[in-house]
Amino acid sequence: MEFIIPRGTQDILPGESERWQYIEEIVRGICHTHQYKEMRTPIFEHTELFSRGVGESTDIVQKEMYTFADKKNRSLTLRPEGTAPAVRSFVENKLFANPIQPTKLYYIGPMFRYERPQNGRYRQFYQFGIEAIGSSDPAIDAEVMALAMSVYRKAGLKNLKLVINSLGDKTSRHAHREALINHFEGRIGEFCGDCQKRLKQNPLRILDCKQDRDHELLKSAPSILDYLNDESKAYFAKVQQYLTNIGISFEIDPNLVRGLDYYNHTAFEIMSNAKGFGAITTLAGGGRYDGLTEEFGGPKAPGIGFAMSIERLLAALDAEDVKIAADQGIDCYIVTLGEQAKDYSVSLLHKLREAGISAEIDYEQKKMKGQFKSADRMHAKYIAILGEDELNQQKIKLKDAKTGEQQEILLDELIAFIKENS
Ligand code: HAM
């Protein structure tokens, strides 16, 4: 039997995993300065959390969830996204009772969607996401978007576009919904089966149908911006004002509706403009979800957040040819000659590591030449050479790999020397 990785998943191997760690470091640093704290929720949840939270009429719930029955026949689903779990946890753990609000959370972890795999689209992908729950201050909307942009910029991306829209409040959305039904109803027969169902269920979904995206009625569809009531208009204006004040440029796209049902007011996506970046240009998406805590049985606590996949961020870095630190090399490689020296090096190696020095030895009984080669491959800064003579004198030869200079130092001084000089 041949074992191969499931379609749409990836192994992140050494060499590549350093790039992931680098991005995660940036993310954690920026979350710290913005005071978002990490949360970790389960990989699977009760299916209903997503069907109710993300929305019955969405592609995610209709087509893309990994749903299974456990041994007691409960329906569970591998999380396709992080917002519904974050809000569930916020309500369940009564985080709303904390005197400091909004509750600012972030997560990094795998999400699962049964989608058609292609460049930038996987069945298991890692999302970094944030959620600020418990405030409807438009300043938080601007903060959330600014944080996403900071992550991309700090990682080294330049060709970015922030696109925003407002989906308005309940009243505005209702008025828009009626207008959409009127617009499509007469010719709904020309649309796919899914859209025919969407017409009454959630006509907004027709606007981001992958199959019917070129239909002429989509271009002439009523724009949500024409249906915003005064309150929603004022909210959207304030968000734009804050973005402008902090120096973040953006475009407004009235057709940006997002693929999840919980949104109202602010919706946004960040795209890559890089030439050579694949067909999928969306790097991140997010928006405001003011009714979700109540949907999950909690008190009113308006929220906003976004998520980005690490895979797409790394792909965008490749497209812009941004190189990020890969293997940094090790501090010291110990080359030994003879069994006595080898035996001694095992404990010396342990001492070096305990002192915080990255170090390695040979485990394949290689000759000295082979050991030097390994040291070179591992980009060792220092090569420590130990034979019986040195050992008898409690000394060790130390070669600086960069300059080629070699000196003899006391074994007792090795740790202090490397610490000082690397
Ligand atoms: P989403 O737009 O479904 O929103 O996904 C957000 C991001 O996750 C996308 O922009 C993309 O970077 C990444 N992503 C989604 N699907 C895939 C995939 N199959 N392969 C690779 N990357 C993917 C959400 O998930 C919302 N929970 C975002 C949010 C947070 N809204 C408010 N708070």
Side-chain angles (χ1 to χ4, degrees), residues 25-312:
E25 254 170 55
I26 291 180
V27 158
R28 291 184 198 283
I30 290 181
C31 282
H32 176 68
T33 54
H34 292 66
Q35 277 303 288
Y36 285 75
K37 308 267 167 81
E38 186 178 8
M39 78 180 323
R40 301 185 189 199
T41 61
I43 299 286
F44 56 84
E45 297 268 1
H46 294 294
T47 301
E48 211 190 329
L49 179 78
F50 300 112
S51 45
R52 287 266 298 277
V54 174
E56 284 290 359
S57 66
T58 59
D59 276 357
I60 292 181
V61 172
Q62 290 281 320
K63 303 175 187 166
E64 296 170 2
M65 294 204 302
Y66 281 91
T67 297
F68 58 97
D70 73 0
K71 295 203 190 295
K72 287 228 167 120
N73 230 8
R74 285 172 288 230
S75 181
L76 298 172
T77 291
L78 298 185
R79 58 181 188 194
E81 61 102 48
T83 308
V87 173
R88 175 207 42 76
S89 178
F90 172 86
V91 171
E92 190 172 342
N93 295 294
K94 300 192 172 50
L95 301 185
F96 47 81
N98 192 320
I100 299 174
Q101 296 295 340
T103 299
K104 303 209 284 189
L105 305 164
Y106 82 92
Y107 46 86
I108 307 174
M111 306 290 162
F112 306 85
R113 295 185 194 176
Y114 192 81
E115 293 196 84
R116 197 168 54 78
Q118 64 186 93
N119 258 351
R121 186 182 289 145
Y122 303 94
R123 290 185 173 165
Q124 172 176 321
F125 54 97
Y126 277 75
Q127 270 190 352
F128 154 56
I130 70 167
E131 312 293 345
I133 313 172
S135 166
S136 56
D137 185 334
I140 274 283
D141 299 44
E143 172 180 292
V144 164
M145 289 184 258
L147 191 154
M149 294 299 278
S150 295
V151 169
Y152 289 130
R153 294 225 179 94
K154 185 110 199 248
L157 290 181
K158 297 209 164 61
N159 299 301
L160 297 165
K161 187 167 79 170
L162 169 66
V163 181
I164 65 170
N165 189 23
S166 171
L167 302 174
D169 62 6
K170 237 187 194 156
T171 325
S172 315
R173 281 167 47 139
H174 188 75
H176 183 230
R177 180 194 149 91
E178 294 303 309
L180 286 173
I181 294 177
N182 281 339
H183 179 74
F184 289 114
E185 207 164 25
R187 291 173 62 186
I188 196 66
E190 297 167 26
F191 285 78
C192 71
D194 283 343
C195 281
Q196 298 186 12
K197 275 188 240 145
R198 288 169 180 143
L199 182 71
K200 287 283 149 67
Q201 244 184 353
N202 187 354
L204 204 62
R205 290 274 77 82
I206 299 176
L207 301 181
D208 68 348
C209 174
K210 285 169 195 140
Q211 226 170 312
D212 290 320
R213 71 171 143 223
D214 295 326
H215 196 289
E216 56 168 354
L217 279 193
L218 287 191
K219 285 173 205 100
S220 55
S223 159
I224 176 70
L225 295 181
D226 295 329
Y227 291 83
L228 294 183
N229 57 16
D230 289 346
E231 225 182 310
S232 301
K233 264 189 209 150
Y235 193 92
F236 194 36
K238 203 79 193 167
V239 172
Q240 292 175 55
Q241 183 198 324
Y242 285 147
L243 281 175
T244 307
N245 288 356
I246 56 180
I248 292 184
S249 44
F250 58 87
E251 282 173 26
I252 297 173
D253 178 358
N255 292 323
L256 181 84
V257 293
R258 308 273 302 123
L260 305 95
D261 278 354
Y262 43 63
Y263 292 118
N264 42 47
H265 289 294
T266 313
F268 68 95
E269 287 187 354
I270 298 170
M271 327 277 187
S272 166
N273 276 336
K275 276 193 207 98
F277 195 53
I280 299 174
T281 56
T282 305
L283 297 177
R288 186 161 269 292
Y289 45 87
D290 287 351
L292 206 50
T293 51
E294 288 143 293
E295 179 80 23
F296 292 165
K300 189 175 158 62
I304 179 164
F306 74 80
M308 61 171 70
S309 69
I310 311 284
E311 288 85 351
R312 287 191 196 171

Side-chain angles (χ1 to χ4, degrees), residues 322-336:
V322 180
K323 298 270 177 283
I324 52 180
D327 193 355
Q328 301 285 336
I330 59 171
D331 298 320
C332 179
Y333 189 98
I334 310 173
V335 169
T336 61

